[in-house]
Amino acid sequence: MKTKTLVLLALASIACHAEVKLPRFISSGMVLQRNDEARIWGSADPSEAVTVTFFNKKYKTTADSQGKWMVKIPTTNKKMVGGPYEMKINDKVLTDIYVGDVWLCSGQSNMDLHTARLVDLYKQEFDTDSNEAIHLVQFARNPTVSDPCDDVDGHGGFYPWESMKPANVGHWSGLSYFFAKEMYAKTHVPQGIINASMGGSDIVAWNNVALLDSLAPRHTAQLRHLKTPGYLERNAQLSKVISSTYYKLLDEQDPGLNEKWMDPATDDSSWETVNQYDTNIGDENGRTWKGTLWFRKTFDVPADMCNREALLRLGCLIDADVCFINGEKVGEVTYQYPPRKYVLRSGLLKPGKNVLCIRLRTDGSREKFVKDKAYKIIVPDDETIHGNDLIAVTSSSKEINLEGDYKMKRGVLMPPMPGVEGVNNGCAAALYNNMIYPILNYRIAGMIWFQGETNAGRPEEYGVLLPAMIRDWRKSFGEVPAIICTLANFMDNHEDNPNYDGGWAKLRDAQRKTVNQLDNAGLVVNLDLGEWNDIHPLKKKDVAHRCALQAQKLYLKSITATQADGPAYQSVEYKDGKAIITFKPGTDSLKADDNLKGFVIAGADRKFYKANAKTEDNKVIVSSPDVANPTIVRYAWDDDPTISLYGTNGLPACSFTTE
């Protein structure tokens, strides 16, 4: 009997101290928002007592009938700012906690783009800079059609809070990295970044279902369809079979693989000679080729460039490639956007003739080799390559140019892969449910939003959803600053077509108008930071600097629009055949220019003409001899626009229309 009593007492003791569970991002390394009421929450057994000890104070609560609990920790004491601290939650001990400023950085690939993709410009910083007071948590990128989740996804792509140091930052968002560094330099206050972003994501994925039901119901109709019991599970199995079968057939039927066209001994004398930038490579009867194309190029290597590591750079290829040097596979990339950088082992290059072979899988794009990218082999003078990147490329580094003509032969012709409906980053609430909803209780300093490329084909809908989404998020986060990054310049310039009316300009205008609709919001204009041939421009440090200017204006209140904003369109007056454009106070100190470019003007017929434009008394005067009575002016209304309008602070104006 005595033994039984002891066992029961032991079990009772265990029950009284059941484990308290925390969300994944409530963990060691987290940063709590200063000058606020930080919230810590989790789950436990119903009615279980929970004690949170932090900064020498105890905060007690009891789990409710559902086992949920929360404590609120005032962080208004200036002495709390800093760290690292410990936090005890019952028997759990969290370490390396800081109190400072927390920023939610969200959007699609230009927000998500990792520092590893930016090494061409910033490698020295990434390799050397550390700061224990800058922390980032990266959420997994796994769209879901489930109901809103209590916790973020812990599968592939989730990185818990970690400090800024070279060993960690390779998977950090480059924009977030530079923003946090600059804000720390300005404030000397710990910085916490919550990176919730996913490449290619649609704005509908970041909105909650109720909002979409009222503003864009076609998207929630699709969601209900996807949630049909068993539908997604069956489709996932079917998709797996289709994909594996498709690529198996592609490889089995490709004569280039069967006949080993990558072998340097292959006779390519009968292959077509093509210039790599031709837009009809592989066409058959005027139709683009879908399947594989094989390219070969023979090049000479001096003896002093052999017997050492080298770096093969092949710009960007559309869509997927496998590359060989002298018959040896040196690398592959499975989609079009990443730059191709392949390390060549010492001894692979031979004195004299060498052969580069590329097996390119194309889905029918006319462009195969992206222009104005690096196509060359580099042998560094210090003989050292880290990963896929040179420590330094100096004037004494040796290069072999690989641009120009290639031999080309068609491989296997394939039909488009059959599509199967599934969950993706364009589904309603698919990222809101497991990346935003789980953190709505957390306190933040503000949000930075860089997204819109995916929605450029639906700019009108975007103009409705973006301000609504920010208002909805603010219901939980409070009226925190919202910093919106415009789409950068990209694709073609249509200066010779003043009536061009593409979606990228319309979407930028939706972003501009969103800032006008909201309080405590700022616009980061990126019209001069893009690359016409790359949807992922590298100058993320410059973007981050402009975000930091907005944060200093909106959050720190340490600067004004005079320092943070380029010219922001306010109004237009039509008089004597001219359009007189004024700009918002604080942004109306214009850089003088008697020959502004990028303006077009139209009358009631809406036929646009290139316009003459100049600054005058911090206004812009626009006219054209072809338009006697103007009614509309547009500026920088293009995908990759001609821009000329800057403030005296060096910041550009956003594209705009006076409509």
Side-chain angles (χ1 to χ4, degrees):
M1 179 66 77
K2 184 175 182 180
T3 301
K4 184 177 180 181
T5 301
L6 289 173
V7 170
L8 291 174
L9 287 172
L11 291 173
S13 176
I14 292 171
C16 289
H17 297 283
E19 183 182 10
V20 170
K21 294 182 180 180
L22 301 173
R24 289 184 179 88
F25 72 97
I26 302 290
S27 65
S28 294
M30 66 181 169
V31 180
L32 304 178
Q33 178 59 41
R34 62 172 170 154
N35 298 326
D36 207 317
E37 194 173 54
R39 297 171 184 173
I40 305 296
W41 70 93
S43 62
D45 287 342
S47 303
E48 182 177 352
V50 178
T51 300
V52 177
T53 305
F54 184 70
F55 208 70
N56 298 319
K57 289 189 177 181
K58 292 186 177 182
Y59 305 86
K60 297 183 178 183
T61 189
T62 302
D64 65 16
S65 60
Q66 303 300 313
K68 296 181 179 181
W69 59 267
M70 176 187 289
V71 300
K72 298 178 180 179
I73 302 174
T75 55
T76 53
N77 184 346
K78 292 183 179 180
K79 292 181 180 180
M80 294 180 74
V81 176
Y85 303 122
E86 284 190 355
M87 177 182 290
K88 189 173 182 181
I89 306 173
N90 284 11
D91 293 331
K92 289 183 181 291
V93 178
L94 308 183
T95 60
D96 198 33
I97 295 171
Y98 286 78
V99 175
D101 292 330
V102 181
W103 299 89
L104 172 60
C105 295
S106 189
Q108 60 180 106
S109 54
N110 272 304
M111 175 60 81
D112 189 49
L113 197 70
H114 297 173
T115 63
R117 288 276 293 275
L118 307 177
V119 293
D120 283 352
L121 295 184
Y122 312 113
K123 182 172 176 57
Q124 185 65 29
E125 290 183 66
F126 301 151
D127 281 352
T128 59
D129 288 2
S130 296
N131 191 327
E132 291 297 326
I134 294 177
H135 288 204
L136 177 142
V137 58
Q138 169 69 60
F139 290 169
R141 308 162 191 86
N142 294 315
T144 179
V145 295
S146 66
D147 292 334
C149 306
D150 289 333
D151 200 357
V152 297
D153 196 323
H155 293 91
F158 174 76
Y159 290 91
W161 289 99
E162 56 188 356
S163 63
M164 194 196 82
K165 56 185 176 182
N168 291 339
V169 301
H171 57 260
W172 282 33
S173 152
L175 195 162
S176 301
Y177 171 93
F178 287 118
F179 174 79
K181 279 179 59 174
E182 182 160 349
M183 290 303 291
Y184 182 85
K186 292 291 182 184
T187 63
H188 299 290
V189 166
Q191 300 292 309
I193 301 292
I194 300 172
N195 191 269
S197 56
M198 183 176 183
S201 56
D202 193 298
I203 193 172
V204 301
W206 298 100
N207 276 272
N208 78 50
V209 170
L211 196 66
L212 292 171
D213 260 336
S214 63
L215 299 178
R218 70 185 182 92
H219 297 290
T220 49
Q222 182 207 19
L223 178 64
R224 290 191 294 273
H225 171 62
L226 291 173
K227 295 177 80 168
T228 302
Y231 180 71
L232 285 175
E233 291 77 9
R234 291 193 298 272
N235 279 10
Q237 295 174 1
L238 180 59
S239 179
K240 186 176 181 179
V241 171
I242 289 174
S243 177
S244 62
T245 302
Y246 185 91
Y247 289 116
K248 182 174 182 287
L249 290 174
L250 183 144
D251 289 346
E252 289 178 349
Q253 297 177 9
D254 190 340
L257 291 179
N258 296 327
E259 299 170 17
K260 301 190 182 304
W261 291 352
M262 76 289 291
D263 189 324
T266 296
D267 181 5
D268 59 18
S269 60
S270 64
W271 291 26
E272 293 180 42
T273 299
V274 298
N275 183 278
Q276 69 184 111
Y277 301 127
D278 286 348
T279 56
N280 60 351
I281 292 175
D283 284 7
E284 194 171 59
N285 299 322
R287 302 192 68 177
T288 58
W289 188 266
K290 294 183 179 181
T292 62
L293 296 172
W294 288 75
F295 298 88
R296 286 169 58 96
K297 190 177 188 70
T298 301
F299 58 95
D300 288 317
V301 178
D304 63 354
M305 293 180 68
C306 301
N307 298 316
R308 54 197 298 187
E309 280 191 331
L311 184 69
L312 171 63
R313 300 204 60 166
L314 289 175
C316 291
L317 302 173
I318 303 176
D319 294 282
D321 66 284
V322 183
C323 289
F324 306 84
I325 293 287
N326 296 330
E328 182 176 312
K329 180 180 173 181
V330 294
E332 65 180 311
V333 171
T334 59
Y335 65 111
Q336 73 177 75
Y337 294 116
R340 273 53 170 183
K341 300 179 184 180
Y342 303 134
V343 175
L344 308 184
R345 63 171 177 81
S346 176
L348 180 57
L349 296 176
K350 311 294 183 184
K353 299 295 183 184
N354 291 254
V355 178
L356 163 67
C357 181
I358 304 169
R359 184 202 191 214
L360 185 69
R361 191 179 78 239
T362 172
D363 289 332
S365 168
R366 290 210 163 274
E367 187 178 31
K368 309 298 190 297
F369 295 74
V370 177
K371 290 182 179 179
D372 293 344
K373 296 287 185 181
Y375 295 88
K376 56 189 176 183
I377 292 174
I378 307 170
V379 178
D381 53 359
D382 65 5
E383 303 187 29
T384 306
I385 299 177
H386 280 188
N388 289 344
D389 302 293
L390 304 177
I391 283 181
V393 178
T394 67
S395 58
S396 57
S397 298
K398 298 179 177 63
E399 298 184 356
I400 298 172
N401 182 23
L402 297 175
E403 285 193 283
D405 289 343
Y406 281 71
K407 290 287 190 175
M408 185 279 297
K409 190 170 184 178
R410 296 172 185 84
V412 60
L413 178 65
M414 294 290 288
M417 186 189 301
V420 178
E421 189 177 30
V423 183
N424 58 44
N425 54 10
C427 295
L431 298 173
Y432 172 87
N433 284 346
N434 67 0
M435 295 177 82
I436 300 301
Y437 180 84
I439 64 169
L440 288 177
N441 286 325
Y442 213 66
R443 309 311 293 158
I444 63 174
M447 62 184 79
I448 305 174
W449 176 255
F450 198 158
Q451 188 275 339
E453 295 90 344
T454 294
N455 292 89
R458 311 194 314 272
E460 292 81 9
E461 179 184 75
Y462 193 86
V464 173
L465 291 179
L466 180 58
M469 181 193 79
I470 293 172
R471 291 188 183 104
D472 183 62
W473 290 11
R474 281 176 166 176
K475 290 177 183 177
S476 297
F477 293 130
E479 292 298 311
V480 297
I483 299 169
I484 298 172
C485 301
T486 68
L487 300 187
N489 49 303
F490 175 55
M491 298 184 294
D492 293 330
N493 176 283
H494 301 85
E495 186 176 9
D496 293 333
N497 178 11
N499 287 283
Y500 183 75
D501 195 22
W504 279 58
K506 292 178 179 177
L507 193 129
R508 290 188 195 105
D509 210 48
Q511 294 173 322
R512 180 184 68 86
K513 290 177 178 177
T514 293
V515 170
N516 290 342
Q517 293 177 42
L518 299 172
D519 293 329
N520 205 20
L523 192 69
V524 172
V525 179
N526 297 310
L527 285 178
D528 55 347
L529 298 180
E531 301 172 32
W532 76 268
N533 59 359
D534 199 333
I535 199 171
H536 303 124
L538 300 185
K539 295 180 180 178
K540 293 297 188 286
K541 187 173 184 177
D542 298 282
V543 180
H545 170 64
R546 293 178 184 180
C547 290
L549 291 176
Q550 290 297 327
Q552 291 169 62
K553 179 187 73 172
L554 299 170
Y555 173 66
L556 298 178
K557 312 293 185 185
S558 60
I559 64 175
T560 65
T562 302
Q563 298 147 293
D565 293 283
Y569 167 73
Q570 178 171 267
S571 62
V572 62
E573 177 187 5
Y574 299 104
K575 183 178 180 181
D576 300 328
K578 298 178 180 178
I580 304 167
I581 297 174
T582 59
F583 299 85
K584 292 179 181 179
T587 76
D588 54 355
S589 180
L590 307 183
K591 181 180 178 181
D593 194 331
D594 289 335
N595 188 26
L596 291 169
K597 303 294 184 182
F599 283 87
V600 296
I601 195 167
D605 61 357
R606 297 185 59 82
K607 186 176 182 180
F608 287 90
Y609 296 86
K610 288 185 180 180
N612 302 312
K614 64 179 181 179
T615 58
E616 186 177 295
D617 296 329
N618 285 324
K619 296 180 174 62
V620 172
I621 312 301
V622 187
S623 64
S624 169
D626 298 307
V627 181
N629 297 299
T631 59
I632 309 170
V633 174
R634 289 174 176 171
Y635 168 68
W637 203 257
D638 202 346
D639 303 327
D640 183 17
T642 300
I643 66 169
S644 59
L645 181 59
Y646 284 82
T648 54
N649 58 10
L651 296 174
C654 186
S655 53
F656 64 84
T657 176
T658 60
E659 291 182 274

